[in-house]
Amino acid sequence: MTTHIQDQILDRRELTAALVRALERRHEVLDAVVDSADHQAAVTTVAELLGTSATNAEAVLGLKFSALTKAARDRIQSELEDLDATLEWTTVDRPASSGAHFNLRPFSTSPEDAALFATRSAEQLDENGAPWAEDRIGAERTAGLGRIEDESAAWFVAEDVSAGVPESVGLVFGELTDQEVNVAIWIAPQARKKGYGTACIKHARRELAAEFPGTVLVVRAKA
């Protein structure tokens, strides 16, 4: 299954799972909504209560009373089970894939970001199949910063913020070519197989669409 298709199914699975949890905890959800000052506060509260995104919380708030019947609940649960059977993995296996407690911030000239870029670049191979030399790593970083400056590229550091203190877990590179933005994602070795790549794709869509409006995003799994 391609990353894009997996990502689409996973999004649907997360929405369906949020609806199931909302129906199972419908009394708590209703109390939370009634106690909220306004719609946005209700969205935030429901998202935290169900451990889901604001978008999925919006869908929960849009549920009709007809969805509260046993038959309707059974249909949603059945869809969730079908989606789980289709997916190669779910957020239970890779919790970071939901995109919650995750952030993309602009790549900077800081020593920390330079070190992260160096770690990533050490995995790249030159035309002879050898790892990039230190001088090439420096040159590639300098060239990238130049493209960011002239707005033909946008690079981001992927951060896990679940512990309160941001932890850098990867990099996202957006490079503008004509009307296409080539998106490359690199996840640090210790953070792989946890869903951060999927989270990067979800957040990069929004960030790069804002940076390069009217363009087409072309995503590659590895940078």
Side-chain angles (χ1 to χ4, degrees):
M1 186 185 299
T2 66
T3 300
H4 179 64
I5 294 175
Q6 167 88 9
D7 190 39
Q8 287 182 319
I9 298 175
L10 186 64
D11 284 346
R12 180 61 188 176
R13 191 268 175 196
E14 288 307 301
L15 170 58
T16 306
L19 295 176
V20 169
R21 290 196 296 274
L23 294 173
E24 291 173 343
R25 304 176 64 180
R26 52 194 177 277
H27 300 297
E28 294 175 72
V29 171
L30 181 58
D31 286 345
V33 173
V34 170
D35 290 339
S36 296
D38 53 30
H39 179 80
Q40 187 54 52
V43 170
T44 301
T45 302
V46 170
E48 292 176 353
L49 178 65
L50 300 177
T52 192
S53 66
T55 300
N56 291 344
E58 287 275 11
V60 169
L61 292 178
L63 280 172
K64 298 179 180 179
F65 283 114
S66 58
L68 301 179
T69 65
K70 290 182 178 180
R73 299 203 304 268
D74 287 346
R75 283 196 299 271
I76 296 174
Q77 179 65 49
S78 179
E79 180 182 356
L80 176 61
E81 292 171 357
D82 289 342
L83 289 167
D84 280 345
T86 303
L87 286 166
E88 295 174 358
W89 47 264
T90 70
T91 51
V92 174
D93 307 303
R94 302 184 185 184
S97 62
S98 68
H101 310 298
F102 181 86
N103 179 57
L104 288 182
R105 65 164 176 82
F107 185 84
S108 72
T109 59
S110 71
E112 292 79 13
D113 287 2
L116 188 65
F117 183 80
T119 300
R120 169 263 182 187
S121 299
E123 297 184 356
Q124 309 304 303
L125 302 179
D126 63 21
E127 57 276 5
N128 297 317
W132 283 4
E134 187 175 339
D135 58 348
R136 176 167 181 178
I137 293 174
E140 292 282 350
R141 175 174 164 272
T142 299
L145 290 170
R147 294 193 298 276
I148 294 171
E149 181 67 24
D150 66 24
E151 300 182 348
S152 63
W155 292 6
F156 301 93
V157 176
E159 296 180 326
D160 185 321
V161 296
S162 59
V165 178
E167 176 190 0
S168 298
V169 295
L171 294 167
V172 175
F173 304 90
E175 300 284 345
L176 179 64
T177 304
D178 297 323
Q179 289 302 303
E180 289 187 347
V181 178
N182 290 304
V183 185
I185 295 168
W186 173 80
I187 303 300
Q190 75 278 5
R192 291 171 187 168
K193 302 298 183 181
K194 297 179 181 179
Y196 289 115
T198 296
C200 282
I201 292 173
K202 291 179 178 179
H203 285 254
R205 289 171 182 161
R206 179 178 65 251
E207 298 291 345
L208 291 171
E211 291 281 345
F212 306 110
T215 58
V216 175
L217 302 183
V218 181
V219 180
R220 292 186 285 119
K222 296 181 178 180

